[in-house]
Protein backbone atom coordinates (compact mmCIF):
# COMPACT_ATOMS: atom_id res chain seq x y z
CA UNK A 1 0.00 0.00 0.00
CA UNK A 2 1.38 3.39 -1.02
CA UNK A 3 1.97 5.64 2.00
CA UNK A 4 0.07 8.95 1.97
CA UNK A 5 1.91 11.95 0.60
CA UNK A 6 2.46 14.58 3.32
CA UNK A 7 1.14 18.06 2.56
CA UNK A 8 3.82 20.62 1.78
CA UNK A 9 3.75 24.00 3.56
CA UNK A 10 5.96 26.73 2.11
CA UNK A 11 6.85 29.61 4.45
CA UNK A 12 8.32 32.66 2.71
CA UNK A 13 10.17 34.71 5.32
CA UNK A 14 10.88 33.43 8.82
CA UNK A 15 11.11 36.39 11.13
CA UNK A 16 8.65 36.68 14.03
CA UNK A 17 5.46 35.81 12.15
CA UNK A 18 6.79 33.15 9.79
CA UNK A 19 8.94 31.37 12.37
CA UNK A 20 6.18 31.43 14.98
CA UNK A 21 3.81 29.88 12.45
CA UNK A 22 6.30 27.04 11.92
CA UNK A 23 6.85 26.51 15.65
CA UNK A 24 3.09 26.36 16.25
CA UNK A 25 2.66 23.87 13.39
CA UNK A 26 5.36 21.62 14.78
CA UNK A 27 4.03 21.87 18.32
CA UNK A 28 0.56 20.68 17.32
CA UNK A 29 2.01 17.96 15.08
CA UNK A 30 3.90 16.70 18.13
CA UNK A 31 0.56 16.23 19.88
CA UNK A 32 1.02 19.18 22.22
CA UNK A 33 -1.55 21.88 23.07
CA UNK A 34 -1.55 25.37 21.62
CA UNK A 35 1.06 27.86 22.72
CA UNK A 36 -0.44 30.57 24.98
CA UNK A 37 -2.51 32.90 22.84
CA UNK A 38 -4.45 36.16 22.83
CA UNK A 39 -7.05 34.25 20.80
CA UNK A 40 -9.56 31.74 22.07
CA UNK A 41 -8.26 28.64 20.27
CA UNK A 42 -10.16 25.38 20.10
CA UNK A 43 -8.29 22.04 20.13
CA UNK A 44 -7.01 20.72 16.79
CA UNK A 45 -6.66 17.10 15.76
CA UNK A 46 -3.07 16.07 15.14
CA UNK A 47 -2.51 15.37 11.40
CA UNK A 48 -2.24 11.70 10.49
CA UNK A 49 0.80 12.51 8.35
CA UNK A 50 3.13 15.31 9.52
CA UNK A 51 3.43 18.00 6.85
CA UNK A 52 6.66 18.81 5.08
CA UNK A 53 7.67 22.41 5.85
CA UNK A 54 10.04 24.48 3.72
CA UNK A 55 11.32 27.86 4.88
CA UNK A 56 12.81 30.25 2.32
CA UNK A 57 14.58 33.28 3.77
CA UNK A 58 17.37 35.55 2.53
CA UNK A 59 19.02 35.47 5.97
CA UNK A 60 20.65 32.45 7.57
CA UNK A 61 18.76 33.14 10.80
CA UNK A 62 16.21 35.21 12.63
CA UNK A 63 17.08 38.76 13.65
CA UNK A 64 15.49 40.00 16.88
CA UNK A 65 14.07 43.26 15.53
CA UNK A 66 12.67 44.28 18.90
CA UNK A 67 16.27 44.48 20.16
CA UNK A 68 16.95 47.36 17.78
CA UNK A 69 18.30 49.95 18.41
CA UNK A 70 19.96 48.52 21.56
CA UNK A 71 21.95 45.92 19.60
CA UNK A 72 23.19 48.62 17.21
CA UNK A 73 24.29 50.90 20.05
CA UNK A 74 25.84 48.54 22.65
CA UNK A 75 28.02 45.70 21.34
CA UNK A 76 27.78 43.61 24.52
CA UNK A 77 24.39 42.38 23.35
CA UNK A 78 24.86 42.49 19.57
CA UNK A 79 25.62 38.80 19.13
CA UNK A 80 22.40 37.86 20.93
CA UNK A 81 20.27 39.55 18.27
CA UNK A 82 20.80 36.99 15.49
CA UNK A 83 20.18 33.24 15.83
CA UNK A 84 20.94 30.98 12.88
CA UNK A 85 18.09 28.70 11.89
CA UNK A 86 20.52 25.79 12.11
CA UNK A 87 20.98 26.60 15.81
CA UNK A 88 17.25 26.44 16.67
CA UNK A 89 16.60 22.96 18.18
CA UNK A 90 12.91 22.88 17.24
CA UNK A 91 13.76 23.10 13.53
CA UNK A 92 16.17 20.17 13.57
CA UNK A 93 13.87 17.49 12.19
CA UNK A 94 13.53 15.56 8.95
CA UNK A 95 10.33 17.27 7.77
CA UNK A 96 11.70 20.83 8.03
CA UNK A 97 13.88 22.19 5.23
CA UNK A 98 15.53 25.62 5.29
CA UNK A 99 16.62 27.29 2.06
CA UNK A 100 18.61 30.51 2.02
CA UNK A 101 17.44 32.66 -0.85
CA UNK A 102 14.42 34.62 -1.99
CA UNK A 103 11.16 33.84 -3.71
CA UNK A 104 10.88 35.92 -6.88
CA UNK A 105 7.38 34.89 -7.96
CA UNK A 106 4.51 32.60 -7.08
CA UNK A 107 1.96 31.01 -9.37
CA UNK A 108 -1.11 30.50 -7.16
CA UNK A 109 -3.02 28.59 -9.83
CA UNK A 110 -0.35 25.89 -10.11
CA UNK A 111 0.69 26.36 -6.47
CA UNK A 112 4.36 26.76 -7.23
CA UNK A 113 7.01 29.28 -6.23
CA UNK A 114 10.05 30.35 -8.21
CA UNK A 115 13.00 31.02 -5.96
CA UNK A 116 16.66 31.98 -6.27
CA UNK A 117 19.32 30.61 -3.95
CA UNK A 118 21.67 33.08 -2.29
CA UNK A 119 24.52 31.02 -3.73
CA UNK A 120 23.19 31.21 -7.30
CA UNK A 121 24.93 33.22 -10.00
CA UNK A 122 23.10 35.73 -12.18
CA UNK A 123 22.93 33.22 -15.05
CA UNK A 124 21.44 30.40 -12.99
CA UNK A 125 17.75 29.73 -13.65
CA UNK A 126 15.24 30.14 -10.86
CA UNK A 127 14.28 26.96 -9.06
CA UNK A 128 10.70 25.74 -8.60
CA UNK A 129 9.00 24.67 -5.37
CA UNK A 130 5.57 23.02 -5.44
CA UNK A 131 3.44 23.59 -2.35
CA UNK A 132 0.02 22.78 -0.95
CA UNK A 133 -0.14 25.73 1.46
CA UNK A 134 1.77 29.01 1.47
CA UNK A 135 2.45 31.47 4.30
CA UNK A 136 3.80 34.82 3.13
CA UNK A 137 5.67 36.52 5.98
CA UNK A 138 8.32 38.67 4.30
CA UNK A 139 7.82 41.81 6.40
CA UNK A 140 8.88 45.34 5.55
CA UNK A 141 11.91 46.74 3.78
CA UNK A 142 13.82 48.95 6.24
CA UNK A 143 17.16 50.66 5.83
CA UNK A 144 20.31 50.06 7.84
CA UNK A 145 20.84 50.53 10.77
CA UNK A 146 17.14 49.96 11.50
CA UNK A 147 17.43 46.43 10.10
CA UNK A 148 20.51 44.45 9.00
CA UNK A 149 21.73 44.84 5.45
CA UNK A 150 23.68 41.56 5.60
CA UNK A 151 22.28 38.05 5.14
CA UNK A 152 24.58 36.01 7.38
CA UNK A 153 25.14 36.20 11.11
CA UNK A 154 28.90 36.57 10.74
CA UNK A 155 28.64 39.50 8.31
CA UNK A 156 25.93 41.16 10.40
CA UNK A 157 27.96 41.11 13.62
CA UNK A 158 30.94 42.72 11.87
CA UNK A 159 28.67 45.37 10.37
CA UNK A 160 26.91 46.13 13.66
CA UNK A 161 30.13 46.39 15.65
CA UNK A 162 31.61 48.74 13.06
CA UNK A 163 28.54 50.96 13.42
CA UNK A 164 28.85 50.94 17.21
CA UNK A 165 32.55 51.84 16.98
CA UNK A 166 31.63 54.90 14.92
CA UNK A 167 29.11 55.97 17.56
CA UNK A 168 31.68 55.64 20.33
CA UNK A 169 34.27 57.60 18.35
CA UNK A 170 31.92 60.52 17.71
CA UNK A 171 32.92 63.01 20.41
CA UNK A 172 33.70 66.38 18.84
CA UNK A 173 30.36 66.77 17.12
CA UNK A 174 26.81 65.66 17.94
CA UNK A 175 25.16 62.45 16.80
CA UNK A 176 22.06 63.48 14.84
CA UNK A 177 19.02 61.23 14.38
CA UNK A 178 16.68 62.35 11.58
CA UNK A 179 13.07 61.22 11.96
CA UNK A 180 10.93 61.24 15.08
CA UNK A 181 8.89 58.10 14.57
CA UNK A 182 9.14 55.12 16.90
CA UNK A 183 12.52 54.00 15.54
CA UNK A 184 14.07 57.47 15.56
CA UNK A 185 12.99 58.28 19.10
CA UNK A 186 14.25 54.91 20.39
CA UNK A 187 17.60 55.34 18.64
CA UNK A 188 18.12 58.83 20.06
CA UNK A 189 17.24 57.71 23.59
CA UNK A 190 19.36 54.55 23.42
CA UNK A 191 22.44 56.45 22.21
CA UNK A 192 22.10 59.08 24.92
CA UNK A 193 21.54 56.43 27.58
CA UNK A 194 24.70 54.48 26.70
CA UNK A 195 26.86 57.50 25.84
CA UNK A 196 25.69 60.22 28.22
CA UNK A 197 28.67 62.46 27.40
CA UNK A 198 27.76 62.53 23.72
CA UNK A 199 25.51 65.28 22.42
CA UNK A 200 22.46 63.74 20.72
CA UNK A 201 20.01 65.69 18.54
CA UNK A 202 16.71 64.38 17.19
CA UNK A 203 15.24 66.25 14.20
CA UNK A 204 11.61 65.74 13.18
CA UNK A 205 9.66 67.54 10.48
CA UNK A 206 6.27 67.53 12.24
CA UNK A 207 4.93 69.35 15.30
CA UNK A 208 4.87 66.20 17.45
CA UNK A 209 6.80 62.95 17.68
CA UNK A 210 5.29 59.75 16.23
CA UNK A 211 3.11 62.00 14.10
CA UNK A 212 2.07 59.21 11.70
CA UNK A 213 0.81 56.87 14.41
CA UNK A 214 -2.86 56.80 15.57
CA UNK A 215 -1.93 57.51 19.18
CA UNK A 216 -3.27 60.06 21.70
CA UNK A 217 -1.47 63.38 22.06
CA UNK A 218 -0.83 62.54 25.70
CA UNK A 219 1.40 59.67 24.61
CA UNK A 220 3.33 61.80 22.13
CA UNK A 221 3.85 64.56 24.69
CA UNK A 222 5.06 62.07 27.28
CA UNK A 223 7.52 60.59 24.78
CA UNK A 224 8.87 64.09 24.06
CA UNK A 225 9.19 64.95 27.76
CA UNK A 226 10.97 61.66 28.45
CA UNK A 227 13.47 62.24 25.66
CA UNK A 228 14.26 65.72 26.91
CA UNK A 229 14.63 64.46 30.47
CA UNK A 230 17.18 61.92 29.17
CA UNK A 231 19.19 64.80 27.68
CA UNK A 232 18.25 64.43 24.01
CA UNK A 233 17.90 67.74 22.15
CA UNK A 234 14.71 67.67 20.08
CA UNK A 235 14.05 69.92 17.07
CA UNK A 236 10.45 69.73 15.84
CA UNK A 237 8.99 71.21 12.64
CA UNK A 238 12.45 71.12 11.11
CA UNK A 239 13.68 69.32 8.01
CA UNK A 240 17.17 68.36 6.91
CA UNK A 241 17.42 69.86 3.43
CA UNK A 242 20.92 68.72 2.54
CA UNK A 243 23.69 66.52 3.92
CA UNK A 244 27.33 66.74 2.82
CA UNK A 245 30.41 65.01 4.19
CA UNK A 246 33.79 66.67 4.39
CA UNK A 247 37.18 66.07 5.97
CA UNK A 248 37.53 67.59 9.44
CA UNK A 249 40.26 70.18 10.19
CA UNK A 250 42.36 67.42 11.79
CA UNK A 251 42.71 65.89 8.32
CA UNK A 252 41.63 62.45 9.51
CA UNK A 253 38.02 62.34 10.74
CA UNK A 254 34.86 63.20 8.82
CA UNK A 255 32.36 65.96 9.46
CA UNK A 256 28.77 65.91 8.23
CA UNK A 257 27.24 69.29 7.39
CA UNK A 258 23.44 69.41 7.68
CA UNK A 259 21.46 72.32 6.22
CA UNK A 260 18.11 72.74 7.94
CA UNK A 261 14.80 74.15 6.75
CA UNK A 262 15.01 76.98 9.31
CA UNK A 263 18.27 78.22 7.77
CA UNK A 264 20.56 76.80 10.44
CA UNK A 265 23.46 74.43 9.90
CA UNK A 266 24.66 71.60 12.12
CA UNK A 267 28.07 69.95 11.94
CA UNK A 268 27.46 66.33 12.95
CA UNK A 269 29.90 63.56 13.67
CA UNK A 270 27.43 60.83 12.77
CA UNK A 271 23.88 60.71 11.38
CA UNK A 272 21.16 58.09 11.53
CA UNK A 273 18.30 58.48 9.07
CA UNK A 274 14.98 57.08 10.31
CA UNK A 275 12.69 58.81 7.83
CA UNK A 276 12.37 56.29 5.01
CA UNK A 277 8.96 54.81 4.36
CA UNK A 278 8.78 51.14 5.30
CA UNK A 279 7.59 49.32 2.19
CA UNK A 280 6.04 45.84 2.28
CA UNK A 281 8.17 43.16 0.61
CA UNK A 282 5.41 41.76 -1.56
CA UNK A 283 6.88 42.17 -5.05
CA UNK A 284 6.79 38.37 -5.56
CA UNK A 285 3.01 38.18 -5.10
CA UNK A 286 0.34 38.69 -7.79
CA UNK A 287 -0.58 42.40 -8.06
CA UNK A 288 -4.28 41.56 -7.72
CA UNK A 289 -3.61 40.19 -4.22
CA UNK A 290 -2.34 43.57 -3.00
CA UNK A 291 -3.95 46.86 -2.05
CA UNK A 292 -2.82 50.23 -3.39
CA UNK A 293 -0.02 50.42 -0.80
CA UNK A 294 1.36 46.97 -1.57
CA UNK A 295 -0.06 45.15 1.47
CA UNK A 296 -1.80 41.80 1.07
CA UNK A 297 -5.58 41.89 1.16
CA UNK A 298 -6.68 39.18 3.59
CA UNK A 299 -9.84 37.62 4.96
CA UNK A 300 -10.34 37.54 8.74
CA UNK A 301 -8.83 34.03 8.59
CA UNK A 302 -5.65 35.65 7.15
CA UNK A 303 -6.24 33.82 3.87
CA UNK A 304 -5.74 35.88 0.73
CA UNK A 305 -8.86 37.56 -0.57
CA UNK A 306 -10.53 35.76 -3.48
CA UNK A 307 -8.77 37.81 -6.16
CA UNK A 308 -6.34 34.98 -6.91
CA UNK A 309 -6.85 31.28 -7.59
CA UNK A 310 -6.64 28.91 -4.63
CA UNK A 311 -6.79 31.81 -2.20
CA UNK A 312 -7.94 29.47 0.58
CA UNK A 313 -4.47 27.85 0.78
CA UNK A 314 -2.55 31.14 0.69
CA UNK A 315 -2.00 33.07 3.93
CA UNK A 316 -0.33 36.42 4.67
CA UNK A 317 0.86 37.26 8.17
CA UNK A 318 2.79 39.92 10.01
CA UNK A 319 3.64 43.34 8.65
CA UNK A 320 2.68 42.61 5.03
CA UNK A 321 -0.96 41.82 5.89
CA UNK A 322 -3.45 44.66 5.44
CA UNK A 323 -4.94 44.61 8.93
CA UNK A 324 -5.71 46.91 11.81
CA UNK A 325 -3.28 47.91 14.53
CA UNK A 326 0.25 49.28 14.74
CA UNK A 327 2.85 46.86 13.40
CA UNK A 328 4.29 45.22 16.52
CA UNK A 329 5.99 41.98 17.52
CA UNK A 330 2.97 40.73 19.49
CA UNK A 331 0.68 41.27 16.52
CA UNK A 332 3.10 39.42 14.23
CA UNK A 333 3.38 36.41 16.55
CA UNK A 334 -0.36 36.00 16.98
CA UNK A 335 -0.91 36.29 13.22
CA UNK A 336 1.60 33.50 12.64
CA UNK A 337 -0.22 31.35 15.18
CA UNK A 338 -3.58 32.05 13.56
CA UNK A 339 -2.32 30.98 10.12
CA UNK A 340 -0.76 27.81 11.57
CA UNK A 341 -4.01 26.88 13.30
CA UNK A 342 -6.05 27.39 10.14
CA UNK A 343 -3.70 25.41 7.93
CA UNK A 344 -3.85 22.49 10.34
CA UNK A 345 -7.65 22.72 10.38
CA UNK A 346 -7.67 22.56 6.59
CA UNK A 347 -5.24 19.62 6.55
CA UNK A 348 -7.28 17.60 9.04
CA UNK A 349 -10.67 18.49 7.56
CA UNK A 350 -12.83 15.74 6.11
CA UNK A 351 -13.93 17.97 3.21
CA UNK A 352 -12.03 20.29 0.91
CA UNK A 353 -12.99 23.94 1.48
CA UNK A 354 -14.58 25.70 -1.49
CA UNK A 355 -14.50 29.50 -1.65
CA UNK A 356 -17.88 30.91 -2.67
CA UNK A 357 -17.30 34.62 -1.99
CA UNK A 358 -14.91 36.78 -0.02
CA UNK A 359 -14.65 39.89 2.06
CA UNK A 360 -11.23 41.56 2.28
CA UNK A 361 -12.19 44.19 4.84
CA UNK A 362 -10.65 44.29 8.31
CA UNK A 363 -13.44 42.60 10.17
CA UNK A 364 -13.65 42.92 13.94
CA UNK A 365 -16.10 40.06 14.09
CA UNK A 366 -15.40 37.06 16.28
CA UNK A 367 -17.75 34.89 14.24
CA UNK A 368 -16.73 31.77 12.37
CA UNK A 369 -14.71 32.17 9.15
CA UNK A 370 -17.55 30.66 7.14
CA UNK A 371 -19.62 33.73 7.99
CA UNK A 372 -16.74 36.15 7.38
CA UNK A 373 -15.56 34.65 4.10
CA UNK A 374 -18.38 32.16 3.33
CA UNK A 375 -16.13 29.13 2.97
CA UNK A 376 -17.57 25.62 3.07
CA UNK A 377 -15.40 23.38 5.21
CA UNK A 378 -13.84 23.57 8.67
CA UNK A 379 -14.61 26.39 11.04
CA UNK A 380 -11.49 28.52 10.79
CA UNK A 381 -9.94 30.80 13.39
CA UNK A 382 -10.78 34.48 12.91
CA UNK A 383 -8.03 36.97 13.61
CA UNK A 384 -9.44 39.82 15.74
CA UNK A 385 -9.46 43.55 15.20
CA UNK A 386 -6.36 45.05 16.81
CA UNK A 387 -6.67 48.54 18.33
CA UNK A 388 -3.69 50.93 18.34
CA UNK A 389 -1.23 50.14 21.15
CA UNK A 390 2.51 50.59 21.59
CA UNK A 391 5.43 50.24 23.97
CA UNK A 392 8.28 52.66 23.26
CA UNK A 393 11.69 51.88 24.78
CA UNK A 394 13.55 55.08 25.68
CA UNK A 395 16.83 54.14 27.32
CA UNK A 396 16.11 52.60 30.72
CA UNK A 397 12.50 53.71 30.71
CA UNK A 398 9.47 53.23 28.49
CA UNK A 399 6.32 55.01 27.45
CA UNK A 400 3.35 52.77 26.73
CA UNK A 401 -0.21 53.09 25.49
CA UNK A 402 -3.05 50.60 25.62
CA UNK A 403 -6.67 51.61 24.96
CA UNK A 404 -7.84 49.89 28.16
CA UNK A 405 -5.08 51.24 30.41
CA UNK A 406 -4.19 54.57 28.85
CA UNK A 407 -0.71 56.11 28.84
CA UNK A 408 1.93 55.06 31.33
CA UNK A 409 5.69 55.20 31.62
CA UNK A 410 8.79 54.66 33.72
CA UNK A 411 11.21 51.88 34.56
CA UNK A 412 8.45 49.48 35.60
CA UNK A 413 6.75 49.99 32.25
CA UNK A 414 10.05 49.09 30.59
CA UNK A 415 10.46 45.89 32.61
CA UNK A 416 6.87 44.85 31.95
CA UNK A 417 7.16 45.35 28.20
CA UNK A 418 10.79 44.44 27.48
CA UNK A 419 12.30 42.70 30.51
CA UNK A 420 15.77 44.11 31.15
CA UNK A 421 17.22 43.89 27.62
CA UNK A 422 14.48 44.59 25.03
CA UNK A 423 13.48 40.96 25.14
CA UNK A 424 16.87 39.62 24.00
CA UNK A 425 16.85 36.98 26.76
CA UNK A 426 13.45 35.65 25.64
CA UNK A 427 14.04 32.49 23.63
Amino acid sequence: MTPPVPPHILVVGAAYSGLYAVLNLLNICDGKPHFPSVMNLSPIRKPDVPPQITIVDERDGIFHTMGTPLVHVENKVTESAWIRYSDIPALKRANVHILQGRVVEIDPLRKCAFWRSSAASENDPDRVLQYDYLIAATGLQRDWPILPRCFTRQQYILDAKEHIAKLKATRNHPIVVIGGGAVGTEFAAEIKHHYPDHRVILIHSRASLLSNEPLPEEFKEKALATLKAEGVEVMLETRVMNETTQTAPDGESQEIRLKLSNGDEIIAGHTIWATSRHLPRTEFLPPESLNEEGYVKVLPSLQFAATIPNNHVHFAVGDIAAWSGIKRVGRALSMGQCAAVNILKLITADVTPVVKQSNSSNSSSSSREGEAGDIDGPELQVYPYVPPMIALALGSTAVTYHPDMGVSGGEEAYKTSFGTDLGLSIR
Side-chain angles (χ1 to χ4, degrees):
M1 182 176 180
T2 304
V5 177
H8 183 207
I9 303 170
L10 175 60
V11 182
V12 186
Y16 294 121
S17 212
L19 182 59
Y20 204 60
V22 172
L23 295 178
N24 276 268
L25 285 164
L26 296 174
N27 194 62
I28 297 299
C29 290
D30 287 343
K32 299 176 182 178
H34 294 293
F35 290 144
S37 180
V38 296
M39 298 173 287
N40 183 20
L41 301 176
S42 57
I44 305 177
R45 179 165 60 87
K46 176 182 174 181
D48 296 331
V49 179
Q52 293 288 323
I53 299 173
T54 300
I55 296 170
V56 179
D57 198 301
E58 287 187 288
R59 297 179 185 145
D60 69 1
I62 180 171
F63 174 73
H64 185 51
T65 308
M66 195 171 79
T68 310
L70 173 62
V71 296
H72 296 159
V73 172
E74 173 51 65
N75 58 24
K76 292 180 181 178
V77 294
T78 302
E79 297 191 19
S80 301
W82 188 300
I83 304 175
R84 284 187 289 256
Y85 296 125
S86 59
D87 293 330
I88 299 176
L91 301 181
K92 295 179 179 180
R93 54 180 79 197
N95 64 323
V96 177
H97 308 278
I98 301 167
L99 304 175
Q100 188 173 357
R102 64 185 181 93
V103 171
V104 296
E105 184 183 355
I106 68 162
D107 182 339
L109 179 61
R110 293 190 296 158
K111 292 190 286 187
C112 67
F114 301 88
W115 76 284
R116 178 169 288 269
S117 168
S118 297
S121 66
E122 292 184 3
N123 297 324
D124 289 341
D126 295 333
R127 303 181 187 183
V128 180
L129 281 169
Q130 296 289 151
Y131 60 84
D132 297 297
Y133 299 90
L134 179 136
I135 299 176
T138 41
L140 304 182
Q141 179 66 50
R142 298 179 178 180
D143 294 334
W144 171 257
I146 298 169
L147 281 185
R149 56 188 171 187
C150 302
F151 298 130
T152 68
R153 183 177 185 273
Q154 183 179 15
Q155 292 173 328
Y156 160 72
I157 290 172
L158 292 174
D159 208 16
K161 290 188 174 181
E162 182 181 350
H163 176 262
I164 293 169
K166 290 179 180 179
L167 290 178
K168 290 182 177 179
T170 304
R171 295 188 178 276
N172 296 330
H173 299 292
I175 297 170
V176 179
V177 180
I178 302 102
V183 173
T185 55
E186 288 189 327
F187 251 112
E190 207 69 61
I191 294 169
K192 189 63 180 179
H193 176 70
H194 284 88
Y195 309 107
D197 295 334
H198 286 43
R199 186 182 173 201
V200 180
I201 301 174
L202 175 64
I203 300 175
H204 187 54
S205 62
R206 303 299 178 89
S208 64
L209 298 176
L210 292 98
S211 48
N212 291 330
E213 301 292 358
L215 297 165
E217 287 303 315
E218 180 188 357
F219 176 88
K220 299 174 183 181
E221 291 170 2
K222 191 172 184 64
L224 175 61
T226 302
L227 275 181
K228 289 182 175 180
E230 291 286 320
V232 175
E233 301 173 40
V234 181
M235 301 178 65
L236 297 175
E237 298 183 277
T238 306
R239 293 181 181 273
V240 174
M241 308 302 293
N242 189 36
E243 177 187 66
T244 57
T245 303
Q246 61 192 31
T247 303
D250 60 17
E252 297 180 1
S253 59
Q254 297 288 310
E255 292 179 344
I256 303 170
R257 185 179 297 271
L258 302 176
K259 293 186 178 180
L260 308 182
S261 57
N262 61 6
D264 292 344
E265 286 190 352
I266 295 177
I267 303 298
H270 188 77
T271 58
I272 294 175
W273 285 81
T275 57
S276 61
R277 188 183 176 199
H278 301 156
L279 300 175
R281 302 183 63 190
T282 53
E283 64 281 353
F284 65 98
L285 295 174
E288 59 270 26
S289 69
L290 310 176
N291 67 14
E292 62 280 1
E293 295 179 322
Y295 294 94
V296 185
K297 296 179 287 187
V298 293
L299 298 170
S301 57
L302 301 183
Q303 293 164 307
F304 283 33
T307 50
I308 65 166
N310 296 314
N311 71 300
H312 62 287
V313 299
H314 292 80
F315 292 77
V317 295
D319 289 351
I320 65 169
W323 201 256
S324 59
I326 295 172
K327 301 182 190 308
R328 302 162 37 254
V329 173
R331 175 178 177 268
L333 295 176
S334 57
M335 278 187 158
Q337 184 178 41
C338 182
V341 165
N342 284 338
I343 287 176
L344 287 172
K345 286 190 173 187
L346 293 173
I347 289 174
T348 58
D350 295 327
V351 294
T352 301
V354 177
V355 178
K356 300 196 306 191
Q357 64 182 25
S358 70
N359 177 6
S360 60
S361 64
N362 285 1
S363 172
S364 60
S365 170
S366 60
S367 61
R368 67 184 292 272
E369 168 59 17
E371 296 168 358
D374 202 16
I375 297 175
D376 288 338
E379 184 176 324
L380 299 186
Q381 178 68 42
V382 170
Y383 191 72
Y385 166 79
V386 182
M389 62 183 77
I390 192 171
L392 197 65
L394 301 176
S396 62
T397 188
V399 180
T400 65
Y401 170 71
H402 190 282
D404 295 335
M405 295 176 282
V407 176
S408 61
E411 292 185 8
E412 284 303 315
Y414 183 98
K415 292 178 182 178
T416 300
S417 300
F418 305 107
T420 58
D421 56 2
L422 283 181
L424 289 169
S425 58
I426 301 173
R427 296 292 185 223

mmCIF file of all heavy atoms in Angstrom, residues 102 118 240 252 254 360:
data_model
loop_
_atom_site.group_PDB
_atom_site.id
_atom_site.type_symbol
_atom_site.label_atom_id
_atom_site.label_comp_id
_atom_site.label_asym_id
_atom_site.label_seq_id
_atom_site.Cartn_x
_atom_site.Cartn_y
_atom_site.Cartn_z
ATOM 1 N N ARG A 102 15.645 33.822 -1.963
ATOM 2 C CA ARG A 102 14.420 34.624 -1.992
ATOM 3 C C ARG A 102 13.465 34.096 -3.049
ATOM 4 O O ARG A 102 13.888 33.584 -4.100
ATOM 5 C CB ARG A 102 14.733 36.090 -2.254
ATOM 6 C CG ARG A 102 15.343 36.396 -3.603
ATOM 7 C CD ARG A 102 15.730 37.864 -3.729
ATOM 8 N NE ARG A 102 16.302 38.139 -5.038
ATOM 9 C CZ ARG A 102 15.602 38.563 -6.085
ATOM 10 N NH1 ARG A 102 14.279 38.738 -5.980
ATOM 11 N NH2 ARG A 102 16.183 38.798 -7.239
ATOM 12 N N SER A 118 20.681 32.040 -2.555
ATOM 13 C CA SER A 118 21.670 33.077 -2.287
ATOM 14 C C SER A 118 23.022 32.736 -2.903
ATOM 15 O O SER A 118 23.837 33.622 -3.160
ATOM 16 C CB SER A 118 21.827 33.285 -0.772
ATOM 17 O OG SER A 118 20.632 33.738 -0.204
ATOM 18 N N VAL A 240 15.805 68.333 7.422
ATOM 19 C CA VAL A 240 17.172 68.362 6.910
ATOM 20 C C VAL A 240 17.072 68.478 5.397
ATOM 21 O O VAL A 240 16.563 67.583 4.723
ATOM 22 C CB VAL A 240 17.956 67.103 7.312
ATOM 23 C CG1 VAL A 240 19.327 67.099 6.650
ATOM 24 C CG2 VAL A 240 18.088 67.023 8.823
ATOM 25 N N GLU A 252 41.834 63.892 9.386
ATOM 26 C CA GLU A 252 41.628 62.448 9.507
ATOM 27 C C GLU A 252 40.139 62.079 9.601
ATOM 28 O O GLU A 252 39.655 61.250 8.848
ATOM 29 C CB GLU A 252 42.371 61.908 10.724
ATOM 30 C CG GLU A 252 43.887 62.071 10.640
ATOM 31 C CD GLU A 252 44.587 61.518 11.857
ATOM 32 O OE1 GLU A 252 43.886 60.992 12.750
ATOM 33 O OE2 GLU A 252 45.825 61.595 11.932
ATOM 34 N N GLN A 254 35.851 62.630 9.733
ATOM 35 C CA GLN A 254 34.862 63.199 8.823
ATOM 36 C C GLN A 254 33.862 64.062 9.581
ATOM 37 O O GLN A 254 33.525 63.794 10.730
ATOM 38 C CB GLN A 254 34.103 62.078 8.098
ATOM 39 C CG GLN A 254 34.971 61.205 7.208
ATOM 40 C CD GLN A 254 35.422 61.929 5.959
ATOM 41 O OE1 GLN A 254 34.621 62.521 5.244
ATOM 42 N NE2 GLN A 254 36.719 61.880 5.690
ATOM 43 N N SER A 360 -12.609 41.222 1.932
ATOM 44 C CA SER A 360 -11.228 41.557 2.280
ATOM 45 C C SER A 360 -11.128 42.677 3.291
ATOM 46 O O SER A 360 -10.062 43.181 3.565
ATOM 47 C CB SER A 360 -10.453 41.963 1.016
ATOM 48 O OG SER A 360 -11.049 43.090 0.415
#
